[in-house]
Amino acid sequence: MTIKDTPEEWEIRASETPFVGKKTSVRADDVVMPNGAVARRDYQVHPGSVAVLAVDDQDRVLVIRQYRHPVRHKLWEIPAGLLDIPGENPLHAAQRELYEEAHVKAEDWRVLTDVYTTPGGCDEAVRIFLARDLSEADGQRFEVEDEEADMELARIPVDDLVRGVLAGDLHNNCLVVGVLSLVAARGGEGLDALRPAEAPWPARPFEA
């Protein structure tokens, strides 16, 4: 038996968008269930995101501490950002986020994993990249604002992050998935067996 997610779309009898925000919206669909009944499903419509697990030559991950108002926490995270432009190449977006949030560039890029963050209530898809061979970026630092103006930047050993995840001290989805995927890849076929940075992404198709 092959364990693989497969695309499928059930019939929608009616749909409306009761809220439209700056970057996301809320959609309400009347979906036909397998028994013929119709059920309302409300969910957030999201453009998609990219995240970067950047690992330096001392096996430390570049992390950012940022306030997240919905959960009333300052979370340790990896650099990440929205796919602001429809059809945008996710690698280019990831490179931009690493530069803007950490003023760092990387020479080696791979796809670490692709996830739906909360598929029961949001259609957000995230591609998490592995970035290696890091160096300081050229040019001026990006001008930050709002929550980003309060960000802290650190480099934390991979093993420390794994312990934090398993102890329940670290909660950011991309950090948790990224770090554990890194450890799993190392224990499996190795990092060089990961998908190339330009690998297709059916959840958010893009131009190479």
Side-chain angles (χ1 to χ4, degrees):
M1 179 178 177
T2 300
I3 304 299
K4 183 177 181 179
D5 297 335
T6 55
E8 184 170 335
E9 186 170 356
W10 292 359
E11 180 186 351
I12 299 172
R13 289 279 173 84
S15 182
E16 59 181 345
T17 306
F19 171 79
V20 177
K22 183 179 179 181
K23 297 292 185 181
T24 67
S25 60
V26 173
R27 184 174 297 160
D29 291 341
D30 292 335
V31 184
V32 179
M33 298 291 110
N35 65 356
V38 176
R40 172 63 61 96
R41 292 291 178 261
D42 303 322
Y43 58 99
Q44 182 186 21
V45 178
H46 194 285
S49 306
V50 292
V52 185
L53 192 82
V55 183
D56 67 16
D57 57 6
Q58 298 180 51
D59 207 37
R60 300 175 302 176
V61 175
L62 195 156
V63 291
I64 293 165
R65 189 169 182 241
Q66 184 172 349
Y67 176 66
R68 293 301 188 183
H69 185 70
V71 295
R72 309 304 198 271
H73 269 71
K74 272 193 171 182
L75 300 180
W76 285 105
E77 308 179 349
I78 56 177
L82 298 175
L83 290 169
D84 295 311
I85 305 169
E88 182 178 16
N89 187 309
L91 174 60
H92 299 166
Q95 291 169 333
R96 180 187 68 235
E97 293 300 330
L98 186 60
Y99 169 77
E100 291 182 355
E101 295 193 353
H103 204 65
V104 166
K105 63 180 180 179
E107 299 302 323
D108 188 294
W109 290 84
R110 307 271 175 159
V111 173
L112 190 52
T113 190
D114 299 323
V115 295
Y116 290 116
T117 54
T118 49
C122 179
D123 71 351
E124 180 183 14
V126 180
R127 169 156 282 188
I128 304 176
F129 289 91
L130 172 66
R132 295 179 291 175
D133 193 4
L134 309 182
S135 61
E136 198 75 10
D138 300 324
Q140 293 184 335
R141 286 185 173 274
F142 182 74
E143 197 71 32
V144 296
E145 59 184 12
D146 300 329
E147 290 93 342
E148 293 181 348
D150 188 53
M151 287 193 314
E152 302 171 48
L153 186 65
R155 296 191 183 209
I156 307 297
V158 171
D159 290 344
D160 290 352
L161 293 176
V162 171
R163 281 191 287 270
V165 168
L166 298 181
D169 295 331
L170 299 172
H171 307 89
N172 175 261
N173 182 291
C174 292
L175 172 63
V176 172
V177 173
V179 167
L180 297 186
S181 295
L182 174 70
V183 173
R186 284 176 170 174
E189 297 181 6
L191 301 184
D192 289 339
L194 291 170
R195 287 172 291 162
E198 298 274 9
W201 188 17
R204 294 294 186 274
F206 61 93
E207 295 289 337

